[in-house]
Amino acid sequence: MARIVGIGHQNFEPLITNDNFYIDKTLFIKEWWENQDAVTMITRPRRFGKTLTMSMTECFFL
């Protein structure tokens, strides 16, 4: 069965539990963690997954 491409998802956990299509950004977490920056500013265009990436990061560290 093909995965559904969801649009507008902002919460990582239901996205994964419902087996929706998702671009894995865990290498971003690794790079971000290893840099040990005091502040990280994430700038991307609208609808580029900023909120979803932060939700994924929160789930990763829980």
Side-chain angles (χ1 to χ4, degrees), residues 11-48:
N11 195 346
F12 179 72
E13 188 174 357
L15 183 72
I16 294 303
T17 56
N18 294 332
D19 200 32
N20 289 105
F21 183 76
Y22 172 71
I23 305 298
D24 186 16
K25 297 178 184 150
T26 50
L27 288 178
F28 166 78
I29 296 174
K30 180 182 182 293
E31 179 182 333
W32 172 69
W33 186 260
E34 289 174 350
N35 283 340
Q36 297 181 354
D37 297 330
V39 175
T40 302
M41 183 173 160
I42 300 173
T43 58
R44 293 281 184 240
R46 277 185 62 201
R47 317 275 310 156
F48 209 82

